[in-house]
Structure formats: structure tokens, C-alpha cells
Amino acid sequence: MKKNSYVGVVDKIRVINMFPDTKIRFTLHSSEDINCIVRKKELANLILFLDEGKYEVSVHGHYNSRNQLVIEKFFVRNPDSFIREFVLKPLKSIA
């Protein structure tokens, strides 16, 4: 399975499912718009803290059959103090 990495701005965050299986989708504005999906509950909860159109993230994952990038790792590149405290600290404990 080919791994892909992109850097872009997170936008259009939507909760598709929380129970029983977590599924969050968002659009990553990079050189092209990439539809992303997050299935890991820990990552999904952290992405929900991000304001749309504000944070630049680095994402790593693979494409599924629906041409969505399934996120395995992400990192916020321009965190403010809130994101440093409530997203990046918890991320260190699960990454």
C-alpha cells in the first residue's frame, strides 16, 4: 500500500459517525483539494478541536477505494497556545 504525505489547510470538518465506529471527514486544501477520512478515534477527537481554514497540518496516510486519503498521522504546523495544550500534548501520548 502506497503511503502519501501532504501539507495543507484543514477545512469542511464533518462528523459522519461517532458510534460504534468513528468516522470524520475533512477537506485538505493543498496544491489540490484532498478528501480525507479519519477512523482512529483518538485522532478524530483531536481534529474536531481545529478551526476550519485556520490550521496548516501535515498528514500521512493511504488512499482507499473511494479515493479518500485515510489519515494515519497528522501534525499541526502552526499551533496556537490552545492547540498546543489540547491537541499536541494528547497527540504525543497516542502517536
Side-chain angles (χ1 to χ4, degrees), residues 45-58:
N45 289 338
L46 298 176
I47 284 175
L48 291 174
F49 275 107
L50 301 179
D51 291 337
E52 295 182 352
K54 181 176 178 182
Y55 295 103
E56 185 179 62
V57 297
S58 169

Side-chain angles (χ1 to χ4, degrees), residues 60-94:
H60 184 77
H62 65 275
Y63 282 97
N64 65 11
S65 61
R66 298 179 68 187
N67 204 31
Q68 297 166 313
L69 185 65
V70 179
I71 303 299
E72 295 163 12
K73 297 180 193 174
F74 85 99
F75 181 75
V76 180
R77 293 172 55 117
N78 60 339
D80 54 24
S81 58
F82 177 82
I83 295 301
R84 257 193 295 281
E85 184 65 29
F86 293 102
V87 177
L88 299 183
K89 275 188 183 172
L91 194 58
K92 283 188 177 109
S93 67
I94 64 169

Side-chain angles (χ1 to χ4, degrees), residues 20-32:
D21 297 321
T22 303
K23 194 187 300 180
I24 306 286
R25 74 152 308 277
F26 65 89
T27 301
L28 185 72
H29 296 301
S30 187
S31 55
E32 56 185 294

